[in-house]
Amino acid sequence: MFADYHVHTPLCRHAEGEPAEYVAAARAAGLDEIGFSDHCPMDGPEPFDDWRMLRAELPRYVDMIVAAREAATPFPVRLGLECDFIAGHEKWIEQLAVAAPWDYLIGSVHYLAPGWDVDNPRWIGRFTAGPDATEDIWARYWAAFTAMAASGLFDFLAHPDLPKKFGHRPAGDLQRFYEPAIAAMARTSTGFEISTAGLRKPAGELYPADEFLRHAHEAGLEITINSDAHAPAEIGHAFDQAAAAARAAGFTRTLRFEGRQRRRISLA
Ligand code: ZN
Ligand code: FE
Ligand code: FE
Ligand code: ZN
């Protein structure tokens, strides 16, 4: 019943395990598909940062996944990419979109400003740098996420709620952040993932929160359930828990992708 569509490779310099090991883990976990989605290369001067492939490595990434797919036949191995959305760089995403025969493109917000990746432990002090620091970070993140959703460039969006990674959440109802993002996703028919990665981080909960899930279901959005694996042992991690949260919010199906076309699989 499950596919894991958010999976990295050693090309991003912070994941371990060859594609064949991830595929073996997916089969062992009883999944019926796996899809790779390593961090995309970026435009402009390189290296952009120290946690992604270089532009010159993109063909090797595609070849690696295609080879893993051939070796795994008939087990389905999909080709995806986790793309960093940065406002003003939409043209780069359009170029990436035609650079390989993708099954799906994932949109992610990690960067709140040049050189500031919100999930990097290096910047953890910024959450507590002033009385409004966490509120300000969440506002920046969700403004960027909403712009990404409005772009319509992606099949689904990664780990909504990422700024809670280290356990920092603003006071009050978080719906004020979620609502514009959900509305933009509804307008562009963009899906999102329930990511079990948050369970493995200080946040200690799924990305996104249950409240986001409830409103997303009301708005007619569609989901995937993914691990964001950076090691083979993380494949399919806590998918039963994610599926339970999805069902509790009203979801009855998850999305599958091939050639950027959608299918729906029952969550029953
Ligand atoms: Zn990563
Ligand atoms: Fe990410
Ligand atoms: Fe990822
Ligand atoms: Zn990720």
Side-chain angles (χ1 to χ4, degrees), residues 6 8 39 51 82 84 108-110 119 158-159 162 193 228 230:
H6 193 152
H8 290 274
H39 297 287
W51 52 269
E82 180 178 12
D84 275 78
S108 284
V109 171
H110 302 103
D119 56 330
H159 41 59
L162 183 63
E193 70 174 5
D228 204 350
H230 287 72

Tab-separated table of all heavy atoms in Angstrom, residues 6 8 39 51 82 84 108-110 119 158-159 162 193 228 230, ligand 2:
chain	number	residue	atom	x	y	z
A	6	HIS	N	10.548	10.040	-0.977
A	6	HIS	CA	11.525	11.060	-0.580
A	6	HIS	C	12.742	10.346	-0.006
A	6	HIS	O	12.791	10.012	1.175
A	6	HIS	CB	10.906	12.033	0.436
A	6	HIS	CG	11.715	13.273	0.665
A	6	HIS	ND1	11.166	14.480	1.041
A	6	HIS	CD2	13.042	13.495	0.575
A	6	HIS	CE1	12.120	15.382	1.168
A	6	HIS	NE2	13.283	14.801	0.903
A	8	HIS	N	17.176	9.909	-0.473
A	8	HIS	CA	18.405	10.569	-0.927
A	8	HIS	C	19.451	9.551	-1.381
A	8	HIS	O	19.226	8.342	-1.300
A	8	HIS	CB	18.912	11.500	0.174
A	8	HIS	CG	17.998	12.681	0.341
A	8	HIS	ND1	18.117	13.811	-0.423
A	8	HIS	CD2	16.917	12.873	1.139
A	8	HIS	CE1	17.150	14.663	-0.092
A	8	HIS	NE2	16.399	14.122	0.848
A	39	HIS	N	18.669	16.002	-3.370
A	39	HIS	CA	18.691	17.469	-3.409
A	39	HIS	C	19.215	17.930	-4.772
A	39	HIS	O	20.260	17.472	-5.235
A	39	HIS	CB	19.598	18.001	-2.307
A	39	HIS	CG	19.135	17.658	-0.927
A	39	HIS	ND1	18.045	18.268	-0.335
A	39	HIS	CD2	19.603	16.773	-0.007
A	39	HIS	CE1	17.873	17.768	0.887
A	39	HIS	NE2	18.805	16.860	1.110
A	51	TRP	N	25.685	20.537	0.787
A	51	TRP	CA	24.788	19.396	0.974
A	51	TRP	C	23.968	19.041	-0.254
A	51	TRP	O	22.844	18.589	-0.136
A	51	TRP	CB	23.911	19.570	2.222
A	51	TRP	CG	23.138	20.854	2.369
A	51	TRP	CD1	23.563	21.987	3.005
A	51	TRP	CD2	21.791	21.121	1.930
A	51	TRP	NE1	22.566	22.935	2.976
A	51	TRP	CE2	21.474	22.434	2.337
A	51	TRP	CE3	20.831	20.378	1.245
A	51	TRP	CZ2	20.235	23.016	2.066
A	51	TRP	CZ3	19.590	20.958	0.975
A	51	TRP	CH2	19.310	22.266	1.386
A	82	GLU	N	14.354	16.530	-5.324
A	82	GLU	CA	13.912	17.482	-4.295
A	82	GLU	C	14.493	18.841	-4.654
A	82	GLU	O	15.701	19.058	-4.540
A	82	GLU	CB	14.366	17.053	-2.892
A	82	GLU	CG	13.900	18.049	-1.829
A	82	GLU	CD	14.270	17.673	-0.387
A	82	GLU	OE1	15.077	16.751	-0.188
A	82	GLU	OE2	13.743	18.345	0.528
A	84	ASP	N	14.954	22.877	-4.373
A	84	ASP	CA	14.851	24.034	-3.489
A	84	ASP	C	14.165	25.165	-4.227
A	84	ASP	O	14.665	25.636	-5.255
A	84	ASP	CB	16.239	24.483	-3.031
A	84	ASP	CG	16.688	23.691	-1.832
A	84	ASP	OD1	17.112	22.536	-2.022
A	84	ASP	OD2	16.576	24.222	-0.703
A	108	SER	N	10.750	22.108	-2.107
A	108	SER	CA	11.130	22.271	-0.700
A	108	SER	C	11.526	23.701	-0.424
A	108	SER	O	12.130	24.356	-1.281
A	108	SER	CB	12.364	21.423	-0.371
A	108	SER	OG	12.034	20.065	-0.250
A	109	VAL	N	11.211	24.172	0.763
A	109	VAL	CA	11.827	25.402	1.269
A	109	VAL	C	12.780	25.007	2.380
A	109	VAL	O	12.358	24.430	3.385
A	109	VAL	CB	10.781	26.403	1.802
A	109	VAL	CG1	11.476	27.558	2.527
A	109	VAL	CG2	9.922	26.931	0.669
A	110	HIS	N	14.071	25.246	2.162
A	110	HIS	CA	15.070	25.156	3.232
A	110	HIS	C	15.664	26.543	3.483
A	110	HIS	O	15.985	26.874	4.607
A	110	HIS	CB	16.215	24.209	2.864
A	110	HIS	CG	15.798	22.795	2.530
A	110	HIS	ND1	15.725	22.336	1.247
A	110	HIS	CD2	15.443	21.755	3.326
A	110	HIS	CE1	15.339	21.052	1.260
A	110	HIS	NE2	15.152	20.681	2.503
A	119	ASP	N	16.878	24.495	8.449
A	119	ASP	CA	16.984	23.200	9.136
A	119	ASP	C	18.426	22.837	9.476
A	119	ASP	O	18.687	21.741	9.961
A	119	ASP	CB	16.350	22.093	8.288
A	119	ASP	CG	16.950	21.999	6.884
A	119	ASP	OD1	17.396	23.030	6.343
A	119	ASP	OD2	16.972	20.885	6.330
A	158	ALA	N	7.517	19.208	0.063
A	158	ALA	CA	8.178	18.425	1.113
A	158	ALA	C	7.953	19.019	2.498
A	158	ALA	O	7.788	20.231	2.658
A	158	ALA	CB	9.689	18.360	0.854
A	159	HIS	N	8.002	18.131	3.449
A	159	HIS	CA	8.037	18.445	4.882
A	159	HIS	C	7.507	19.831	5.285
A	159	HIS	O	8.265	20.658	5.775
A	159	HIS	CB	9.446	18.246	5.462
A	159	HIS	CG	10.598	18.718	4.602
A	159	HIS	ND1	10.751	20.014	4.188
A	159	HIS	CD2	11.658	18.056	4.093
A	159	HIS	CE1	11.860	20.120	3.461
A	159	HIS	NE2	12.426	18.941	3.388
A	162	LEU	N	8.718	22.483	8.477
A	162	LEU	CA	10.136	22.214	8.746
A	162	LEU	C	10.750	23.065	9.872
A	162	LEU	O	11.596	22.551	10.609
A	162	LEU	CB	10.946	22.370	7.452
A	162	LEU	CG	12.442	22.059	7.510
A	162	LEU	CD1	12.672	20.590	7.860
A	162	LEU	CD2	13.127	22.404	6.178
A	193	GLU	N	3.614	16.133	1.186
A	193	GLU	CA	3.953	14.873	1.847
A	193	GLU	C	3.713	14.983	3.346
A	193	GLU	O	3.894	16.032	3.951
A	193	GLU	CB	5.414	14.484	1.597
A	193	GLU	CG	6.427	15.373	2.288
A	193	GLU	CD	7.880	14.907	2.170
A	193	GLU	OE1	8.173	13.920	1.476
A	193	GLU	OE2	8.744	15.569	2.780
A	228	ASP	N	11.884	10.738	3.871
A	228	ASP	CA	13.074	11.592	3.722
A	228	ASP	C	14.323	10.823	4.180
A	228	ASP	O	15.146	11.338	4.947
A	228	ASP	CB	12.914	12.896	4.502
A	228	ASP	CG	13.783	14.026	3.966
A	228	ASP	OD1	14.653	13.758	3.116
A	228	ASP	OD2	13.587	15.175	4.409
A	230	HIS	N	17.827	9.303	4.545
A	230	HIS	CA	19.226	9.590	4.221
A	230	HIS	C	20.092	8.368	4.535
A	230	HIS	O	21.317	8.446	4.495
A	230	HIS	CB	19.722	10.825	4.984
A	230	HIS	CG	19.169	12.129	4.457
A	230	HIS	ND1	17.864	12.524	4.622
A	230	HIS	CD2	19.765	13.135	3.748
A	230	HIS	CE1	17.680	13.721	4.052
A	230	HIS	NE2	18.823	14.112	3.515
B	2	FE	FE	14.391	18.757	2.571
